[in-house]
Coordinates of all heavy atoms in Angstrom, one line a residue:
P610 N 4.8 22.1 24.7 CA 4.9 20.7 25.1 C 3.7 19.9 24.6 O 2.6 20.5 24.2 CB 4.8 20.8 26.6 CG 4.1 22.1 26.9 CD 4.5 23.0 25.8
R611 N 3.8 18.6 24.6 CA 2.8 17.7 24.0 C 1.6 17.7 24.9 O 1.6 17.9 26.1 CB 3.3 16.3 23.7 CG 3.4 15.4 24.9 CD 3.9 14.0 24.7 NE 3.7 13.4 23.4 CZ 2.6 12.8 22.9 NH1 1.5 12.8 23.7 NH2 2.6 12.3 21.7
K612 N 0.5 17.3 24.3 CA -0.8 17.0 25.0 C -1.1 15.5 24.9 O -0.3 14.7 25.1 CB -1.9 17.9 24.5 CG -1.6 19.4 24.7 CD -2.6 20.3 24.2 CE -2.2 21.8 24.3 NZ -3.3 22.7 23.7
N613 N -2.3 15.2 24.5 CA -2.8 13.8 24.4 C -2.8 13.3 22.9 O -3.4 12.3 22.7 CB -4.1 13.6 25.1 CG -4.4 12.1 25.4 OD1 -3.5 11.4 25.8 ND2 -5.6 11.7 25.2
E614 N -2.2 14.1 22.0 CA -2.2 13.7 20.6 C -1.2 12.6 20.3 O -0.4 12.3 21.1 CB -1.9 14.9 19.8 CG -0.5 15.4 19.8 CD -0.1 16.2 21.0 OE1 -1.0 16.6 21.8 OE2 1.1 16.4 21.2
I615 N -1.4 12.1 19.1 CA -0.4 11.1 18.6 C 0.4 11.9 17.5 O -0.2 12.5 16.6 CB -1.1 9.9 17.9 CG1 -1.9 9.1 19.0 CG2 -0.1 9.0 17.1 CD1 -2.7 7.9 18.3
G616 N 1.7 12.0 17.7 CA 2.6 12.7 16.8 C 3.0 11.8 15.7 O 3.3 10.6 15.9
I617 N 3.1 12.3 14.5 CA 3.5 11.6 13.4 C 4.6 12.4 12.6 O 4.5 13.6 12.3 CB 2.3 11.4 12.3 CG1 1.2 10.7 13.1 CG2 2.8 10.6 11.1 CD1 -0.1 10.6 12.2
H618 N 5.8 11.7 12.4 CA 6.9 12.4 11.9 C 7.5 11.7 10.6 O 7.6 10.4 10.7 CB 8.0 12.5 13.0 CG 7.5 13.0 14.3 ND1 7.3 14.3 14.6 CD2 7.0 12.2 15.3 CE1 6.8 14.5 15.8 NE2 6.6 13.2 16.3
A619 N 7.8 12.4 9.6 CA 8.3 11.8 8.4 C 9.7 12.3 8.1 O 10.1 13.4 8.3 CB 7.5 12.2 7.2
I620 N 10.6 11.3 7.7 CA 12.0 11.6 7.4 C 12.1 11.1 5.9 O 11.6 10.0 5.5 CB 12.9 10.7 8.3 CG1 12.8 11.2 9.7 CG2 14.4 10.8 7.7 CD1 13.5 10.3 10.7
R621 N 12.8 11.9 5.1 CA 13.0 11.5 3.7 C 14.5 11.6 3.4 O 15.1 12.7 3.5 CB 12.2 12.4 2.7 CG 10.7 12.2 2.8 CD 10.2 10.9 2.3 NE 8.8 10.7 2.5 CZ 8.3 10.1 3.5 NH1 9.1 9.7 4.5 NH2 7.0 9.9 3.6
G622 N 15.1 10.5 2.9 CA 16.6 10.6 2.5 C 17.1 9.3 1.9 O 16.6 8.2 2.2
G623 N 18.0 9.5 1.0 CA 18.7 8.3 0.4 C 17.7 7.4 -0.2 O 16.8 7.7 -0.9
D624 N 18.0 6.1 0.0 CA 17.3 5.0 -0.7 C 16.5 4.1 0.4 O 16.4 2.9 0.2 CB 18.2 4.1 -1.5 CG 19.3 3.4 -0.8 OD1 19.5 3.7 0.5 OD2 20.0 2.6 -1.3
I625 N 16.2 4.7 1.5 CA 15.5 4.0 2.6 C 14.3 3.3 2.0 O 13.3 4.0 1.6 CB 15.2 4.8 3.8 CG1 16.5 5.5 4.3 CG2 14.5 4.1 4.9 CD1 16.2 6.6 5.3
A626 N 14.2 2.0 2.1 CA 13.0 1.3 1.6 C 11.7 1.5 2.4 O 10.6 1.7 1.9 CB 13.2 -0.2 1.5
G627 N 11.8 1.7 3.7 CA 10.7 2.0 4.6 C 10.9 1.5 6.0 O 11.1 0.3 6.3
D628 N 11.0 2.5 6.9 CA 11.2 2.2 8.3 C 10.0 2.8 9.1 O 9.6 4.0 8.8 CB 12.5 2.8 8.9 CG 13.7 2.1 8.4 OD1 13.6 1.1 7.6 OD2 14.8 2.6 8.8
H629 N 9.5 2.1 10.0 CA 8.3 2.6 10.8 C 8.6 2.2 12.3 O 8.7 1.0 12.6 CB 7.0 2.1 10.4 CG 6.6 2.6 9.0 ND1 7.0 2.0 7.9 CD2 5.9 3.7 8.6 CE1 6.6 2.6 6.8 NE2 5.8 3.7 7.3
T630 N 8.6 3.2 13.1 CA 8.8 3.0 14.6 C 7.7 3.6 15.4 O 7.2 4.8 15.1 CB 10.1 3.7 15.0 OG1 11.2 3.1 14.3 CG2 10.4 3.4 16.5
I631 N 7.1 2.9 16.3 CA 6.1 3.4 17.2 C 6.8 3.6 18.6 O 7.4 2.6 19.1 CB 4.9 2.4 17.4 CG1 4.4 2.1 16.0 CG2 3.8 3.1 18.2 CD1 4.0 3.2 15.1
L632 N 6.7 4.7 19.1 CA 7.3 5.0 20.5 C 6.2 5.2 21.5 O 5.3 6.0 21.4 CB 8.1 6.3 20.4 CG 8.6 6.9 21.8 CD1 9.7 5.9 22.4 CD2 9.2 8.2 21.5
F633 N 6.2 4.3 22.5 CA 5.3 4.4 23.7 C 6.2 4.9 24.8 O 7.0 4.2 25.3 CB 4.7 3.1 24.1 CG 3.7 2.5 23.0 CD1 4.2 1.7 22.1 CD2 2.4 2.9 23.0 CE1 3.4 1.1 21.1 CE2 1.6 2.3 22.0 CZ 2.1 1.5 21.0
A634 N 6.0 6.1 25.3 CA 6.9 6.8 26.3 C 6.1 7.0 27.6 O 5.2 7.7 27.6 CB 7.5 8.0 25.8
G635 N 6.6 6.4 28.6 CA 6.0 6.6 30.0 C 6.9 7.2 30.9 O 8.1 7.6 30.6
E636 N 6.6 7.3 32.2 CA 7.5 7.9 33.2 C 8.5 6.8 33.6 O 8.2 5.7 34.0 CB 6.7 8.3 34.5 CG 5.7 9.4 34.3 CD 6.4 10.7 33.9 OE1 7.6 10.9 34.4 OE2 5.9 11.4 33.1
G637 N 9.8 7.1 33.3 CA 10.9 6.2 33.7 C 11.1 5.0 32.7 O 12.0 4.2 32.9
E638 N 10.4 4.9 31.6 CA 10.6 3.9 30.7 C 9.9 4.2 29.3 O 9.1 5.1 29.2 CB 10.0 2.5 31.2 CG 8.4 2.6 31.3 CD 7.8 1.3 31.7 OE1 8.6 0.3 31.9 OE2 6.6 1.2 31.8
R639 N 10.4 3.4 28.3 CA 9.7 3.6 27.0 C 9.8 2.2 26.3 O 10.7 1.4 26.6 CB 10.4 4.7 26.2 CG 11.8 4.4 25.6 CD 12.2 5.6 24.8 NE 13.5 5.3 24.2 CZ 14.7 5.7 24.7 NH1 14.7 6.3 26.0 NH2 15.8 5.4 24.2
I640 N 8.9 2.0 25.3 CA 8.9 0.8 24.5 C 8.9 1.4 23.0 O 8.2 2.2 22.7 CB 7.7 0.0 24.8 CG1 7.6 -0.6 26.2 CG2 7.5 -1.1 23.7 CD1 6.3 -1.3 26.5
E641 N 9.8 0.8 22.2 CA 9.8 1.0 20.8 C 9.5 -0.2 20.0 O 10.2 -1.2 20.2 CB 11.1 1.6 20.4 CG 11.4 3.1 21.0 CD 12.7 3.6 20.5 OE1 13.3 3.1 19.5 OE2 13.2 4.6 21.1
I642 N 8.6 -0.2 19.1 CA 8.2 -1.3 18.2 C 8.5 -0.8 16.8 O 8.0 0.2 16.3 CB 6.8 -1.7 18.4 CG1 6.5 -2.1 19.9 CG2 6.5 -2.9 17.5 CD1 5.1 -2.4 20.2
K643 N 9.3 -1.6 16.1 CA 9.8 -1.2 14.8 C 9.6 -2.2 13.7 O 9.8 -3.4 14.0 CB 11.3 -0.8 14.9 CG 12.0 -0.4 13.6 CD 13.4 0.0 13.8 CE 13.6 1.3 14.5 NZ 15.0 1.7 14.5
H644 N 9.3 -1.7 12.5 CA 9.3 -2.5 11.3 C 10.3 -1.9 10.3 O 10.1 -0.7 10.1 CB 7.9 -2.8 10.7 CG 7.9 -3.5 9.4 ND1 8.2 -2.9 8.2 CD2 7.9 -4.8 9.2 CE1 8.2 -3.9 7.3 NE2 8.0 -5.1 7.8
Q645 N 11.2 -2.7 9.7 CA 12.1 -2.1 8.7 C 12.0 -3.0 7.5 O 12.1 -4.2 7.5 CB 13.5 -2.2 9.2 CG 13.8 -1.1 10.3 CD 15.3 -1.1 10.8 OE1 15.7 -2.2 11.3 NE2 15.9 -0.1 10.6
A646 N 11.7 -2.4 6.4 CA 11.7 -3.1 5.1 C 13.2 -3.0 4.5 O 13.7 -1.9 4.4 CB 10.7 -2.4 4.1
H647 N 13.8 -4.1 4.2 CA 15.1 -4.2 3.7 C 15.2 -3.8 2.2 O 16.2 -3.3 1.7 CB 15.8 -5.5 4.0 CG 15.9 -5.8 5.4 ND1 16.2 -7.0 5.9 CD2 15.8 -5.0 6.5 CE1 16.2 -7.0 7.2 NE2 16.0 -5.8 7.6
S648 N 14.1 -4.1 1.5 CA 13.9 -3.8 0.1 C 12.4 -3.7 -0.2 O 11.6 -4.2 0.5 CB 14.6 -4.9 -0.8 OG 13.8 -6.0 -0.9
R649 N 12.2 -3.2 -1.3 CA 10.7 -3.1 -1.8 C 10.2 -4.4 -2.3 O 9.0 -4.5 -2.6 CB 10.7 -2.0 -3.0 CG 11.1 -0.6 -2.6 CD 10.9 0.3 -3.7 NE 11.6 1.5 -3.5 CZ 11.7 2.5 -4.4 NH1 11.2 2.4 -5.6 NH2 12.5 3.6 -4.1
D650 N 11.1 -5.4 -2.4 CA 10.6 -6.7 -2.8 C 9.5 -7.3 -1.9 O 8.6 -8.0 -2.4 CB 11.8 -7.7 -3.0 CG 11.4 -8.9 -3.8 OD1 11.1 -8.7 -4.9 OD2 11.5 -10.0 -3.3
A651 N 9.6 -6.9 -0.6 CA 8.5 -7.4 0.3 C 7.2 -6.9 -0.1 O 6.2 -7.6 0.1 CB 8.9 -7.0 1.8
F652 N 7.1 -5.6 -0.6 CA 5.9 -5.1 -1.0 C 5.3 -5.7 -2.3 O 4.2 -6.0 -2.4 CB 6.0 -3.5 -1.3 CG 6.7 -2.8 -0.2 CD1 7.7 -1.8 -0.5 CD2 6.5 -3.1 1.2 CE1 8.4 -1.1 0.5 CE2 7.2 -2.4 2.2 CZ 8.1 -1.5 1.9
A653 N 6.3 -5.9 -3.2 CA 5.9 -6.6 -4.5 C 5.4 -8.0 -4.2 O 4.4 -8.4 -4.8 CB 7.1 -6.5 -5.4
A654 N 6.1 -8.8 -3.4 CA 5.7 -10.1 -3.2 C 4.3 -10.2 -2.5 O 3.5 -11.0 -2.9 CB 6.7 -10.8 -2.3
G655 N 4.1 -9.3 -1.6 CA 2.7 -9.2 -1.0 C 1.7 -8.8 -1.9 O 0.5 -9.4 -1.9
A656 N 1.9 -8.0 -2.9 CA 0.9 -7.6 -3.9 C 0.6 -8.8 -4.8 O -0.6 -9.0 -5.1 CB 1.4 -6.4 -4.7
V657 N 1.6 -9.6 -5.2 CA 1.3 -10.7 -6.0 C 0.5 -11.8 -5.2 O -0.4 -12.4 -5.7 CB 2.6 -11.3 -6.5 CG1 2.3 -12.7 -7.3 CG2 3.3 -10.3 -7.5
K658 N 0.9 -11.9 -3.9 CA 0.1 -12.8 -3.0 C -1.3 -12.4 -2.9 O -2.3 -13.2 -3.0 CB 0.7 -12.8 -1.7 CG 0.0 -13.6 -0.6 CD 0.7 -13.5 0.8 CE 0.1 -14.3 1.9 NZ 0.4 -15.7 1.7
A659 N -1.6 -11.1 -2.9 CA -2.9 -10.5 -2.8 C -3.7 -10.8 -4.1 O -4.9 -11.2 -4.1 CB -2.9 -9.0 -2.5
A660 N -3.0 -10.7 -5.3 CA -3.7 -10.9 -6.6 C -4.1 -12.4 -6.6 O -5.2 -12.6 -7.2 CB -2.7 -10.6 -7.7
I661 N -3.3 -13.3 -6.2 CA -3.6 -14.7 -6.2 C -4.8 -15.0 -5.3 O -5.7 -15.7 -5.6 CB -2.4 -15.6 -5.9 CG1 -1.4 -15.4 -7.0 CG2 -2.8 -17.0 -5.7 CD1 0.0 -16.0 -6.7
W662 N -4.7 -14.4 -4.1 CA -5.8 -14.6 -3.1 C -7.1 -14.1 -3.5 O -8.2 -14.7 -3.3 CB -5.4 -13.9 -1.8 CG -6.4 -14.0 -0.7 CD1 -6.5 -14.9 0.3 CD2 -7.4 -13.1 -0.4 NE1 -7.5 -14.7 1.1 CE2 -8.2 -13.6 0.8 CE3 -7.9 -11.9 -1.0 CZ2 -9.2 -12.9 1.3 CZ3 -9.0 -11.2 -0.4 CH2 -9.6 -11.7 0.7
L663 N -7.1 -13.0 -4.4 CA -8.4 -12.4 -4.7 C -9.2 -13.1 -5.8 O -10.4 -12.9 -5.9 CB -8.1 -11.0 -5.3 CG -9.2 -10.0 -5.4 CD1 -9.8 -9.7 -4.1 CD2 -8.8 -8.7 -6.1
K664 N -8.6 -14.2 -6.4 CA -9.3 -15.0 -7.4 C -10.6 -15.5 -6.8 O -10.5 -16.2 -5.7 CB -8.3 -16.1 -7.9 CG -9.0 -16.9 -9.0 CD -8.0 -18.1 -9.4 CE -8.7 -18.9 -10.4 NZ -7.8 -20.1 -10.9
D665 N -11.6 -15.4 -7.5 CA -12.9 -15.9 -7.2 C -13.6 -15.3 -6.0 O -14.6 -15.8 -5.4 CB -12.9 -17.5 -7.0 CG -12.4 -18.2 -8.3 OD1 -12.7 -17.6 -9.4 OD2 -11.7 -19.2 -8.2
K666 N -13.0 -14.2 -5.4 CA -13.6 -13.6 -4.2 C -14.8 -12.8 -4.7 O -14.8 -12.3 -5.8 CB -12.6 -12.7 -3.5 CG -11.5 -13.4 -2.8 CD -12.1 -14.2 -1.7 CE -11.0 -15.0 -0.9 NZ -10.2 -16.0 -1.6

Side-chain angles (χ1 to χ4, degrees):
R611 80 178 335 277
K612 298 178 182 177
N613 199 37
E614 73 280 347
I615 295 175
I617 305 171
H618 311 275
I620 297 166
R621 294 289 175 270
D624 62 353
I625 302 169
D628 292 356
H629 292 87
T630 302
I631 311 302
L632 171 66
F633 296 94
E636 294 297 324
E638 66 175 359
R639 71 177 183 267
I640 296 173
E641 294 183 11
I642 302 174
K643 177 180 288 189
H644 176 274
Q645 291 180 298
H647 298 164
S648 78
R649 298 181 197 176
D650 197 57
F652 313 139
V657 173
K658 179 183 180 76
I661 295 170
W662 178 89
L663 196 60
K664 182 182 180 183
D665 300 327
K666 292 293 183 296

